[in-house]
Amino acid sequence: MTSDAHLNELGEFLKARRAELSPRTVGLPDTGGPRRVAGLRREEVAVLAAVSTDYYTRLEQGRARAPMSVLATLVRVLHLDDDQRDRLFELAARDEYVPRRRSAQKVQPQLRRLLDELTAAPALVLGRRMDILAWNPLAAALLTDFGQVPEKKRNYARLCFTSPCFRGLHLNWRTIARNCVAELCLEAAQYPGDPELAALVGELSVVDADFRQWWAGRQVAGLRVGTQRLRHPVAGDLTLDWDSLTCTAAPAQQLVVWTAEPGTPSHDGLRFLASWTADPYQQARDEAA
């Protein structure tokens, strides 16, 4: 499908969603008089989205493209559900780039073996878009039970911005969150128009004001090493250094490992968490207490 055809498809999608809404639904006064069109008028959507009527008209007519910030606003204005939001960002991304069909991401066997050998350090494997592909038990004990997160939602940046527990765990959450945004910016520069990335960015732009601001700033200096300060319910306060190692056989995959300086309370806390993780009976006793 050509770029113009995708723009037309995006315009038809917006018109269909607009027709489903009434002024009362979006908080506009309803005069009760006859309306020439079903649902909202273009100028009403334009006012709610803080864009000009001419620009919104061109958007529906397939004569204009929408930046991420406008798309995120339209998600809110048109009351799109999750599936509709993903569809909107997919159509918008296709205007610029139609990716080849990719198989599902799978962790490289070498990384899987290395991950299994790491029993004293939390570690996980990140793929494209910061998707979480694999983890060891200590990483699950430190951060969250990734196995309880639906596979399609198992993404580090998504957890960082949408999980209250994940956010509350990190004492330096803003530093970690901004680095997630920087990583996604780098990904967007490398894979422009990736519909899955566009859907993720759209979702996070809608649900979190910090993400919207930082994404608009286009910070691109992502970090490969850093420090995380955690307040863990079992291990207490931890200051951990993290490092990311890129897999030569699969450059899109990174092994992220957390360690603590030997002889520190954080090192002792991490060792305690490792022993607690290895003893399911202790976990059950602690949870029952």
Side-chain angles (χ1 to χ4, degrees):
M1 189 179 291
T2 66
S3 177
D4 287 345
H6 280 302
L7 284 172
N8 290 333
E9 190 175 356
L10 174 62
E12 291 300 319
F13 178 85
L14 291 173
K15 284 190 284 187
R17 302 287 76 75
R18 174 167 61 87
E20 295 173 349
L21 299 174
S22 67
R24 183 175 300 174
T25 302
V26 297
L28 293 176
D30 190 349
T31 60
R35 299 176 68 86
R36 291 181 299 173
V37 296
L40 296 177
R41 301 185 181 96
R42 283 174 176 165
E43 55 267 30
E44 290 171 331
V45 175
V47 168
L48 292 169
V51 298
S52 70
T53 300
D54 176 69
Y55 170 75
Y56 183 76
T57 299
R58 288 187 289 112
L59 195 60
E60 281 199 358
Q61 292 175 343
R63 297 187 293 115
R65 291 178 168 82
M68 195 69 67
S69 57
V70 172
L71 293 173
T73 301
L74 289 174
V75 170
R76 174 179 53 81
V77 168
L78 297 175
H79 292 215
L80 302 186
D81 61 26
D82 290 350
D83 290 338
Q84 291 170 335
R85 176 201 63 213
D86 291 348
R87 180 59 175 162
L88 173 68
F89 281 96
E90 179 187 2
L91 290 172
R94 286 181 180 177
D95 295 343
E96 303 171 5
Y97 166 72
V98 181
R100 292 173 294 179
R101 183 177 296 275
R102 293 189 300 271
S103 58
Q105 297 186 85
K106 293 183 179 180
V107 63
Q108 279 290 313
Q110 301 95 320
L111 283 182
R112 176 76 266 180
R113 290 195 298 268
L114 181 56
L115 196 61
D116 292 339
E117 292 293 328
L118 290 171
T119 58
L124 53 78
V125 177
L126 297 180
R128 289 278 315 281
R129 300 173 293 276
M130 303 190 78
D131 287 347
I132 300 167
L133 306 184
W135 59 91
N136 65 6
L138 193 48
L142 178 69
L143 298 173
T144 192
D145 186 353
F146 300 110
Q148 296 299 313
V149 181
E151 186 175 356
K152 290 185 178 181
K153 298 292 186 180
R154 205 176 289 155
N155 176 278
Y156 197 90
R158 179 183 282 110
L159 285 173
C160 193
F161 283 97
T162 66
S163 169
C165 292
F166 199 86
R167 182 185 294 230
L169 179 68
H170 291 80
L171 298 178
N172 60 337
W173 176 85
R174 292 178 69 85
T175 299
I176 303 305
R178 292 196 72 145
N179 193 60
C180 286
V181 176
E183 286 295 319
L184 294 181
C185 284
L186 289 171
E187 181 100 7
Q190 187 174 2
Y191 302 98
D194 178 349
E196 294 179 57
L197 178 60
L200 174 63
V201 170
E203 174 189 346
L204 299 183
S205 296
V206 170
V207 302
D208 192 274
D210 285 327
F211 184 92
R212 285 196 300 275
Q213 178 184 348
W214 296 335
W215 180 262
R218 285 291 182 172
Q219 174 190 358
V220 295
L223 300 176
R224 296 298 179 181
V225 296
T227 300
Q228 286 183 225
R229 295 186 294 109
L230 307 167
R231 178 153 293 162
H232 195 274
V234 173
D237 286 1
L238 302 171
T239 299
L240 303 179
D241 298 319
W242 64 270
D243 204 339
S244 58
L245 309 173
T246 300
C247 177
T248 303
Q253 296 187 16
Q254 301 175 47
L255 177 69
V256 184
V257 184
W258 287 262
T259 59
E261 185 178 351
T264 63
S266 294
H267 186 260
D268 294 340
L270 205 55
R271 291 180 63 184
F272 173 76
L273 186 60
S275 64
W276 183 83
T277 303
D279 183 358
Y281 298 105
Q282 182 62 49
Q283 293 184 43
R285 289 192 295 270
D286 290 344
E287 291 169 358

